Amino acid sequence: MTFYLALSVLLFCVGLAGVLARRHAIMALIGIELMLNAANINFIAFWRHSSAADDLSGMFWMIFSVAIAAAEAAVGLALVILVFRHRRSVRLDELESLKG
Amino acid sequence: MEPLKGLLSTLWKALTDQPDPKAPFLESIPEDYRSLASAVLSVAPILMVFPLLFALTTVLERKGLGRIQNRLGPNRVGPAGFLQFAADGLKTLTKEDVVPRAADRVVHFLAPIALVIPVLLTFAVLPFGRNLAPIDLDAGLLFFFAVSSATELAVFMAGWASRNKYSLLGALRAVAQMVSYEIPLVLAALSVVMITGTLSLSAIAAAQSPTPGSFLAPWYVFTPWGLMGFLLFMIAACAEANRSPFDLPEGESEIIAGYYLEYSGFKFALFFLGEYLGLFASSGLAITLFLGGWNAPFAFMQGWLPSWVWFFAKLATLIAVFIWIRGTLPRVRMDQLMGLAWKFMIPMTLLTLVAAGLWHRLPSAPLRWVACTALLAGAFLVLGRVLMPRTRHGRRVYRYAD
Amino acid sequence: MNASSIPWLTLLTAIPLVGGILILGSHLPDGQRPRRFGLLFHALSLGVLALIFTQFDPAVGSMQMVERWPWIPSLGTEYHLGIDGLGLLMLALSCIVLMAATAFSRRDIPSGRIYHGLLLLLQAGLHGAFTAQNFIHWFFYYELSLIPAYFLVKLWGGPKRGVAARTFFLYTMAGSAAMLLGFLATYAATGSFDFAELAQRGKGFDGGLAAIYNVRLGLPELSTRALGLLIFFAIFLGFAVKIPVWPFQSWLPLTYSEAPAPVAMVLTGALSKLGVYGLLRIVLPIFPEQVWQTQDLLLCLALASIVFSAVAALAQTDVRRMLGHLSISHLGYCVLAVVCASRITPLDGNWEVEKQAALTGAMLQMFNHGVIAALLFGLAGWMEERVGKPLEMGSMGGLRQKAPVFAGIMGLAVFASMGLPGLSGFVGEFLIFKGVFALVPWAACLATLGLLGVALFLLNYLRTTWHGALSGDSTRFADLTVRERAWVTPMVALILLLGVHPQLALKWLNAAAVLLTERIAI
Amino acid sequence: MEGGFIAMPTDVILWILGGLILISAVMSLALRNLIHCALFLMVCFLGLAGLYLHLNAVFSGLVQALVYVGAVGIILIFAILLTEGGGTETGSHLGSQWRTGIGLAVLLAFALLGAVSNSPQTTQAARHTEEPTVREIGLKLMTDYLLPLQTIGLLLTAAAIGAVVLAMQEPKPRKDETP
Amino acid sequence: MTGVLDILWLIPALPLLVSAILSLTPARVKGGAAPLSIGALGLGFLIACAALAEAVSDPGQVRAHNFTWFEFGSSAVKIGWVLDPLSALMLVMVTFVAGWIFVFSIGYMSHDENFTRFYCFLSLFTSAMLGVVMSNSLLMLFACWEVMGLASYLLIGFWHHRPSAAAAARKAFIYTRIGDIGFLLGMLWLYAETGTLLLYDNGAGCLEANALTQLAGAAISTGMAASTGIALLLFCGAIGKSGQIPLHVWLPDAMEGPTPVSALIHAATMVAAGVFLMARIHPLSTATASAKPIVTATAPANATAQSAQPAVRMEAAPKSQAHAEAAAKPTEAGGDSTSSPTLTLNVMAWVGALTALLASLVAVAQYDIKRILAYSTVSQLGFMFLGLATGGPAVGVFHLLTHAFFKALLFLGAGSVIHGCHEEQDIRRMGGLWRRMPATFGTYAVGMMALSGVPLLFSGFWSKDEILHSALAWSGSKWPFALGLVAAVATAFYMTRQMAYVFFGPHRGHPAMYEQGHRIPVTQPHESPMVMTLPLGVLAACAILLTVVGTPMWPWLHSVLSGHAPEVRREVSVGVLFAMLISILAAGTGFTAGWICYMRRRASGFNDGDPLQTRIPSIWRCLESRGWIDELYKMSFGIWTAAAGRFCDWLDRIVLGGGVRMIQNAALATAWMGRLWDEFFLNGGFARGCEQTRNSADRASLVQNGQIQRYLRILAGALALVALWIIWK
């Protein structure tokens, strides 16, 4: 059980590092996808090792989170395309028009 | 020796539809290797039978096309040209494997492999015979679609890795086409799932076995929604495999050879293998879903032949149909292709789902029939007539080059 | 319980309110249109009133056409409307007076739409107040009627209108603040604002409401009697300022002389009646015991307001101030009647009849004085319109030769206000005098001084302005135009009719008076 | 590689899968070429699917495979192509303060690992029940989890339509639009 | 036939209707006014005669018709009218005299532009008078009484463009108003005591037996019976209306009105109303036979019957309605006049006598023809009250009737004289008119002789003789008789003086001068047209014929009024003869004195003073200026009221207004203090506080630089911190 938790933490942190380090918007999206999957691991892991026999909630959580991640990816990428069309570049540190 | 005898008895049991054909061979294998052995046992026949079938179909196809186009087709190699496949095979093996300099070597190399593996995996779930399904997964159908969706990725890798504008265009067209037609494919299959209630293919096939008393086997294709579902499934499968009317990606006349442009030699052969195996897999699925899998068409014929014979007979007929379509229908334009997918196919499949639901709910037979057919016919007419843009054939105008 | 299906009273209040808001909202150009608009709405409310009259059963003394809806249950405030004979007549009075005010107002008044809008709001306030049976309701409309009056005086008044409006507002605001405090105390003590309920609790000889205050308000050191008196005075102050009773009336002459004539008509015709109505509706039933305790003081105040203002009028040079004093004196009679009616009288003898006489007299006097005072101020307004500057006593003379009809009607109004029999002023005063004489003879005798004073200064006015030789700027004085005569005739007819046949008005009042006397008979 | 039925010692498979996932994750974020990153991401997702299958969650594993490898991968690649990421990255592909970013990530990793290591639940043994059948999942989905299902359906349609609208090519670029 | 009672109300209603019609007709339409009003009165006269016939047929029975005027609370106020000899007689007299005055004024007012309005007011007045006469309720009586006051105000001030007329009208109304207040208080007291104001209400009326006994019994703290108090208060009203001593000053000034007005109002009817009132409520004033005779005649009442004075005597003790056991006085059935007279009668007698004497003396020194007659009316009214007090209602009413006729005659005569001499009223400008205006002279002479009491032939003599006889025979003090006698002498004297000045001697008219607008030189006085002289003739005839009614031999009127059938009395008591003798003597002396002073000397010029003036200059000046009573009033009450007015105004404006202003200023001061406090103390500190917050806000906003990764870094950092915190908590 600790293996799965450790795996998910590591995966999460890798995703996080990717998001924070990379300049490209899509890389950020990829990073986010990784972080989401890290969470899914936990769901299935806990579902698998939970005591309640027929409680499928862990699985359903995972399924729903996958669905949401897919939707999020779709919209995110559409946005990135839109931003690209308007700004000709998707480098995060150049997109700062919402400055305070 | 023991294993050889075990092997023969397993073969016999399999061919004669007996339950648990692998048991005799496995007893002869020591304990800890047993699981490995059973895996090999179920994989091996697939690897042997379907490539042979592939080779056969390439020949049959060229002869069939020939016949359709009023010409002979290959008849030089072997009796009436049936050894042509051996010649092609040898040709591909011996040809030089040219890799464009600008290509992304790794991805270029991986692409054909990534295409073939998922297709092979799909065969793991198809029930060839009464208990000849290699793996009887509870979510067999889901496995089939999950794996088949990986092919688009491979096609893209091929198109993109060869750094060639035409191959990239071909790849993107192929991916767009495959993505668009995957939805109607899944939805068509879904109607069967809704009626039978399970995702496991062997259960679906079993559900269609004829009861001794009745005359006609209760194949789903004989129901209005089943027929419509089968037709839509076949169209989608055809598009999925980039065949005939939908073979835009490798439309020779426009963009030379599509995504496998920069491939030669064995990788080129692999692409063809992948394509045809994909065709066999989807027609196999169509058979299990709509044509009663390994069941005989009529009740009284159930006992005559072993179940896998029926399966392969239906498979042959479907392949003949595909070849027939390839010979007759002209290539479809890209926007018509996409329009057909989104504006016709998806609504129709949704409506078949509704019809299936209606079918399931309505009690009396005649009422069910009338309602479903009316629904589907009406929908077909409406979608066909109203939604498809009327092709206005203007007067033919001749322009002379000036 | 909502007796009638159609909420007449709400309708009656709503029409002027809606009219007011409409006209204020709209941007009608100055000139005839706003005036005609105002007239339309006044006519509408008169129409509704006529309908109410047809439905009203004069024999029943208690509240009719009651509409009772829970409004703010936590505060115990209910949307409780209802009218008895008195309320009905007061409504009629306010409709007539405001209709007349709109008619008498100048055609070319600047920003006419605001003017007529405010008049309509004023009427809404009056209607609401006269039909209110719950204090919050009453107080809301009481203030609603006050604010337009302030603006009317402030914006269209005479030269010193700023001062006048401010004093008017300060006085009445102080009074209403006191009244509010008083009622909050009663609410704290009894937990309800409803007049009927309070009246019910007010009865009883054991200090009435006062006894309850102490228990609830936890003021052991204040004796119940002192506390009761304190609260009574707070509320009485509110009305005393409005009526006005003698010491609180210094705002009235200033305001009446500075306010535009039609507004003065409304102020004296309807608004001051609000005060006396309040006495009759609120103070008398709820605080009979306190009124009886402070009997002599109140009598002195009432007599002072009758005599002093009548005499003060003698020394006035401005006609409008004089008329102001006139209305103070006349209302003094009403206050006198109300106070006398609250005397504790021995059970034998027909004291009830005397009290009923006093009360009906007071009610009738309120109505008649409303009409007569309104007519007087209206005519004064027209005279100012003709002369162009405020009327000074000696400034003009012999107008009767130039405007005989005008003089005739002014004469009639003057004699009506002097209480000449055959005109509406007499019956009310006679009943008051009858009641008061039987209950407190010395007060009646002193009150007659007021009659004499009123006669003196009014005849003085007639002689200096109307009779005698032509003098001052009376040369340009034109007689009443046909339109003006048309507006005056209904009021004159009313004065004559009620003078000859007062039963028309008394028919409605008797039941209410009988009920009121029973209620306050401790 | 897919099935957990080959009687190899379970933890070996586990480590293989874990390693595969982590390495492909790191590679998918570290590489300069976006397409490669995408492909490695697909590998990582397949690894995860395998992990789920290993944990007897067949349905979720297949869903993971179908959704991520099938759909998200393709969109990702399309997005990369549409934003001209196909070519190699010009200039440093790392953000300006990438060191602090990674540092923070590492710090978080240690923190969470610490938390994981001494949390009481881990000691509980794995539950050996055979995985639920699809019918069971379907029934539960349609009864207990009907509302989430409907909302997810709504969400997906909305996202699909939204994405299409966003990414749709305006009929003609407006003059005032500064590229 | 009882029918008359039901249509009795028509008599006042018709003139009222006419006055309403005339008030609406525009001034220029002159035609309809006179005929309409005279027609109405004629009709009224006929009905009155019918009523008289019925009343006389059974004098004892009182026929009343009552109805409810209005209800208040649970009880009602009833009014109605009564038909008894007294009211019938008065109805006939008023309609007859008013009718002929209307005829006269056709001529007199023909050239006046407000002709219709004149007739409108006149008919209003007559309807009010008729209302007073026939009303059975004190309230209705009071109402008509006041309307009559209004009509007199309007008529006196008819020529309102003349300031003197306007002033006179105002004065008249004020003085009658003062009287009316007394009347009102009396009425209220009566109402409070008996609970009804109806005089005769088949048993329940206030003039009927049980009410009277109740009133007699109820006493107020000073021991005076309620009935006396009420009677006295009502007498105040009568004083005001009939112009008795304290309130008589308005009557002479009322001559400003047109002469028919003076004739109708200030001779025949209105002033007589007071007498009629006291006659009507006579039972009330004699009700208290049991009351102790107030020995001292100096009842404070008659000194200054000012309005303020009644307040002093009333006490606020709650009256107990029950019979005053405490008073414990034997109640006697209504006493007759022979027993010691009640306080009211005493007061009445004295007031009447005094007024008679004073007015007649003042009349002697007047130069205005109408003013002389006015004072003569005042004195005759005094006689009437004297007669009423001493001899009961019959005596007073008889003199009232006769006086109405000959005084109307005299006034109309004076009117035609004035008309003839072209609006000349000063007798010093007249003279020698008997030749130029023979008809007027003739009738005027008859009137003069009737007034001054020429014996036997003229009704005036009989009525005055009755009064003097009753005064003589009065059980009270004899002084009123003496005063009355002197008054009689003075009456004869000033009448002869007037005759001498006006009709005899040379004509002292203005030299020929052009009247504005008249082309022909109007110098010579001319005889009045037929329409004016005819009424004079008729009235003269009546003045003579009336003797029939009241001679001692056949006291028709007395018996009728006292309620039993008239019968011829053969024997005449010695006292009566003696009184006749005395009155003849008085008239004679007055006559001869006047003759001596004026007729023989033929005073010629305008300004060579009156013969009497030369003899008794100081007395003459006092009398001529009307005893300075006007000035006295002006000095006393005029100034006091003005002062009170100013005081109240001052009180109102300064004292109370000032108080409010002080509060306002205090409020303003506190407002200023609050502002200062804010300005210096609060703002300073507060302002700097705002500075700091703004600066820190700027620095804070730098963090948000649009870099998405920065935000994520912050997030991650926070997540890490939280995780660490959870772990090590």
Side-chain angles (χ1 to χ4, degrees), chain E residues 228-241:
Chain E
T228 328
I230 294 171
L232 274 179
L233 282 173
L234 294 179
F235 182 58
C236 291
I239 287 174
K241 193 63 85 179

Side-chain angles (χ1 to χ4, degrees), chain B residues 210-231:
Chain B
T211 53
S214 71
F215 168 69
L216 190 62
W219 289 356
Y220 289 135
V221 80
F222 298 138
T223 59
W225 58 273
L227 181 61
M228 180 55 84
F230 175 68
L231 288 177

